[in-house]
Amino acid sequence: MTYALQEAARHHIESRFRAAVDRDISGLATDECLRRDLITPDGWPAARLCLGSHSAVSDLLFRRLRHNWPSVVYVYDGLRGEQSRYLKAKLDLTVALAESGDELTEAVQHQLDEAGRVLERLWQVWAGYQATTTDDLAEAVEEKY
């Protein structure tokens, strides 16, 4: 396999990742803020900051993502658990951001770091599954013997 074929296969997988796994959880975050009666430091209902936050929170997470191909291996059993964990971590981050008034507090930084770790794990499993289940993309993963 040539380097160019491997890079092309990897680029194809990377270009589809965000659209395939990211979902808008701003409505759930709004409900969670309302349920917990969260208020921003400025005295506003935190729920107001959740509505329409999807793009900003996703951008924050995906800007930090590194497509670490050496950690990607073939995956045969899917990724439902990893995607659920990612969406839960994104929900927790969105709520923490809203409660802080969109300030990067220590609690928000903790949630951001955790969501980043969960997204990295989802990336590894998702990319491996794509390479495993799509014959023409199998070139993206280097087999380790």
Side-chain angles (χ1 to χ4, degrees):
M1 164 182 37
T2 69
Y3 177 75
L5 287 175
Q6 183 182 58
E7 283 303 304
R10 287 178 175 184
H11 177 72
H12 183 72
I13 290 172
E14 290 169 9
S15 70
R16 296 181 351 202
F17 179 58
R18 183 171 174 173
V21 301
D22 198 32
R23 299 292 177 268
D24 184 350
I25 51 81
S26 60
L28 293 172
T30 300
D31 291 346
E32 181 66 14
C33 287
L34 290 171
R35 186 183 68 74
R36 293 172 44 193
D37 292 323
L38 297 179
I39 303 296
T40 68
D42 294 336
W44 292 95
R48 290 181 61 187
L49 294 175
C50 293
L51 294 175
S53 65
H54 167 67
S55 294
V57 173
S58 292
D59 288 346
L60 184 63
L61 287 166
F62 279 85
R63 273 196 314 262
R64 297 170 54 120
L65 177 65
R66 301 293 171 251
H67 297 105
N68 184 10
W69 280 100
S71 66
V72 174
V73 296
Y74 290 115
V75 174
Y76 294 94
D77 58 354
L79 55 124
R80 184 166 297 141
E82 283 80 5
Q83 187 165 16
S84 295
R85 281 187 283 283
Y86 163 67
L87 293 174
K88 173 68 168 101
K90 183 179 174 186
L91 173 68
D92 293 343
L93 173 60
T94 303
V95 170
L97 272 167
E99 185 177 21
S100 75
D102 283 341
E103 295 296 323
L104 190 60
T105 64
E106 188 175 318
V108 170
Q109 185 63 52
H110 172 75
Q111 292 298 331
L112 180 58
D113 291 343
E114 178 61 21
R117 281 190 291 278
V118 173
L119 180 59
E120 290 284 340
R121 178 64 186 143
L122 175 58
W123 158 251
Q124 292 170 354
V125 173
W126 188 87
Y129 189 68
Q130 296 304 303
T132 303
T133 60
T134 312
D135 290 338
D136 60 336
L137 297 178
E139 301 166 336
V141 176
E142 291 181 23
E143 291 192 49
K144 297 169 181 70
Y145 298 102

